[in-house]
Amino acid sequence: MANQNHSRRHIQKVRELKLSDIKAMSANIKHLPIKWWHWVIFSVLFICIIGGIVWLSIPQPVEPEYPVVAIEDVVTDNVDIYGEYVGRVNAHQFVEVRARVEGYLEKMLFDEGTYVEKGQTLFIIDPLLYKAKVESAKARLNKAKAQALKAERDLNRIKPLYEENAASQLDLDNAVAAYETSHADVVIGEADLTQAEMVLGYTTVKSPISGYISQRNVDIGTLVGPGGKSLLATVLKTDTVRIDFSMTALDYLSLKDRNINIGQKDETKTWDSYVTVTLADGRAYPYKGLVDFTDPQVDPQTGTFSVRAEMPNNDRELLPGQFTKVKLLLDVRENAVVAPSRALEIEKGGAYIYIIRPDSIVERRYVEIGPEIGNNTVIERGLAKGEKIVVEGFHKLNPGMKVKPVKYSEYNNQTQK
């Protein structure tokens, strides 16, 4: 507008200047001898001056101003689809150390909370009663062996006498029965001795696995075993932990639609379903775990099914029993059409996006949207790679209008100015 006003003032000055020059020339002409060709020259000059004034007074055409919008090209990319769940950390192995025999606890041979090796002695239960039972079993076994030896000798004497008809059939039968009974008593005695020695061994409580041991559950001098407290401590193997969480039946159906079986090895896939977890301070745990189990049935009370993943825990940053946020890779969409989420307009009829045609005309196109990943959204249908979409400035658009498209970076520079 300011440029147009300036042009008009300039034209007005030109008009005033030219008219003054014409008047001055006319005054001078009156005092000069005028010839006919002078009149021709003056007429031509006059016509040229009037034509120039008229040409300068014609308004110059103004280029229409179109709305400026920011655009981006539609691209394709491999998109990772994640699901987020609440999980719980459990030890890879959780073993309860219990007293298998009754007795008073005499000794504790470990430091609570430390690492213990498999087979390491942890507790000693008073063994005197069980040592006595072992000695008794040994004595009964020796007695049975002695009787078996006598029965064998008696049988060896009866056999030749029976063959010479010096002993009856009854005598032979009694000798054979005594021999077999005595040998059976030896076998019973050996079994009783083995059992007594085994029970005596239970008075020395050893660690069943290697791992970290908890605090003791009983004090020295406490009666433990079947008639008392049996749980002495627990040992946890935590160099590998299990992450347990639940997925909904809807998640299961969505995965089935994509022919994905979580927890099962699929040679056709180029990726595996892994999980990541978040530590208590909000940091992401640096290691990943692979899903190794999914429950084949849904819990009817919650409508969910259990999923488990194993994860390394060499630094013991994950403690069994704690809750954590689990992020599971559900799917990888290869060559998916992706658009910035800010370019989408959602209404009751669906979601649409503004497309810029090659002639800079705006087109409103309805699209089918998929999952949202960060600041982008997967477009299932409606867009193709290479099309130009409006990402800023679409609030001033109507379908069919012409616009001035610029790159998003240029648009930001213009708006900041």
Side-chain angles (χ1 to χ4, degrees):
M1 194 70 181
N3 293 334
Q4 293 179 358
N5 293 334
H6 179 73
S7 298
R8 290 173 181 172
R9 289 195 298 268
H10 178 70
I11 293 170
Q12 186 65 27
K13 290 180 179 180
V14 172
R15 286 177 177 174
E16 294 174 356
L17 176 62
K18 299 301 181 181
L19 291 174
S20 61
D21 291 343
I22 293 170
K23 292 178 180 179
M25 291 171 62
S26 300
N28 293 330
I29 290 171
K30 294 178 180 179
H31 302 284
L32 294 174
I34 300 175
K35 297 182 179 181
W36 65 272
W37 53 271
H38 289 166
W39 286 106
V40 174
I41 294 174
F42 291 150
S43 299
V44 172
L45 290 175
F46 181 77
I47 293 172
C48 292
I49 292 171
I50 297 301
I53 294 172
V54 173
W55 181 79
L56 291 174
S57 63
I58 297 175
Q60 298 295 324
V62 180
E63 184 180 353
E65 294 185 4
Y66 298 112
V68 179
V69 294
I71 62 170
E72 286 187 6
D73 293 336
V74 177
V75 298
T76 59
D77 195 5
N78 293 339
V79 179
D80 296 339
I81 309 298
Y82 293 94
E84 293 189 355
Y85 310 92
V86 176
R88 185 172 182 178
V89 181
N90 291 312
H92 185 264
Q93 284 184 282
F94 180 90
V95 180
E96 294 180 340
V97 180
R98 293 183 177 272
R100 303 179 67 176
V101 294
E102 186 177 71
Y104 290 99
L105 194 65
E106 283 192 344
K107 296 179 182 179
M108 184 185 74
L109 304 176
F110 66 92
D111 293 327
E112 297 167 305
T114 60
Y115 187 84
V116 295
E117 297 287 348
K118 181 179 180 180
Q120 179 179 334
T121 301
L122 304 178
F123 299 95
I124 299 294
I125 300 173
D126 183 7
L128 292 179
L129 175 63
Y130 302 101
K131 285 181 178 180
K133 290 182 178 181
V134 169
E135 296 300 325
S136 177
K138 285 181 179 180
R140 288 195 299 271
L141 177 59
N142 291 333
K143 180 180 178 180
K145 287 181 177 180
Q147 291 177 346
L149 182 60
K150 178 180 180 302
E152 185 178 1
R153 290 172 180 173
D154 292 341
L155 179 60
N156 290 334
R157 284 195 304 269
I158 291 296
K159 280 184 177 180
L161 294 175
Y162 174 75
E163 291 174 355
E164 295 176 359
N165 293 322
S168 65
Q169 181 68 44
L170 179 61
D171 294 334
L172 179 62
D173 292 342
N174 289 336
V176 171
Y179 173 78
E180 293 179 349
T181 300
S182 62
H183 277 75
D185 290 339
V186 170
V187 174
I188 293 174
E190 290 175 344
D192 290 342
L193 178 59
T194 300
Q195 182 179 12
E197 290 176 341
M198 186 182 299
V199 173
L200 175 62
Y202 291 156
T203 61
T204 300
V205 182
K206 299 181 179 181
S207 176
I209 62 171
S210 297
Y212 288 88
I213 191 166
S214 68
Q215 65 180 1
R216 67 179 186 273
N217 290 346
V218 293
D219 293 326
I220 303 300
T222 304
L223 179 65
V224 296
K229 293 182 178 181
S230 63
L231 181 60
L232 306 180
T234 55
V235 180
L236 293 83
K237 182 178 176 61
T238 58
D239 54 350
T240 301
V241 293
R242 292 174 174 173
I243 310 297
D244 294 311
F245 57 98
S246 297
M247 297 178 64
T248 64
L250 182 60
D251 291 332
Y252 177 79
L253 293 176
S254 299
L255 293 173
K256 276 298 182 184
D257 291 340
R258 298 280 297 169
N259 197 26
I260 298 172
N261 296 315
I262 296 294
Q264 299 180 17
K265 188 67 176 177
D266 189 351
E267 300 296 338
T268 62
K269 294 190 306 182
T270 58
W271 55 276
D272 292 317
S273 298
Y274 66 84
V275 301
T276 57
V277 299
T278 303
L279 299 176
D281 58 1
R283 291 184 295 115
Y285 188 62
Y287 301 103
K288 298 178 181 178
L290 293 178
V291 175
D292 64 348
F293 169 77
T294 55
D295 200 326
Q297 62 182 354
V298 174
D299 186 346
Q301 296 182 348
T302 62
T304 61
F305 62 97
S306 300
V307 182
R308 185 186 68 202
E310 286 196 0
M311 184 170 291
N313 188 38
N314 295 327
D315 298 331
R316 297 187 67 206
E317 290 190 86
L318 299 175
L319 298 178
Q322 74 180 106
F323 289 93
T324 183
K325 184 170 69 175
V326 179
K327 193 174 180 181
L328 168 65
L329 178 63
L330 297 174
D331 191 9
V332 176
R333 300 283 185 89
E334 297 181 352
N335 296 321
V337 176
V338 180
S341 300
R342 63 179 180 274
L344 288 166
E345 286 287 313
I346 299 176
E347 58 181 22
K348 292 183 179 180
Y352 64 86
I353 198 165
Y354 284 109
I355 309 296
I356 303 299
R357 300 192 319 213
D359 57 358
S360 299
I361 299 298
V362 175
E363 175 188 341
R364 177 189 291 177
R365 185 177 304 171
Y366 284 89
V367 294
E368 181 181 340
I369 61 175
E372 185 174 356
I373 311 299
N375 296 325
N376 297 323
T377 300
V378 176
I379 306 299
E380 304 286 2
R381 292 181 182 85
L383 282 183
K385 181 180 179 181
E387 290 189 297
K388 300 184 184 301
I389 59 175
V390 179
V391 295
E392 289 288 348
F394 47 77
H395 60 278
K396 51 190 174 184
L397 300 181
N398 289 314
M401 68 184 303
K402 193 169 185 178
V403 297
K404 182 181 179 182
V406 297
K407 291 294 185 181
Y408 182 67
S409 57
E410 299 177 9
Y411 179 84
N412 285 338
N413 293 335
Q414 291 182 13
T415 53
Q416 290 176 1
K417 290 180 180 179

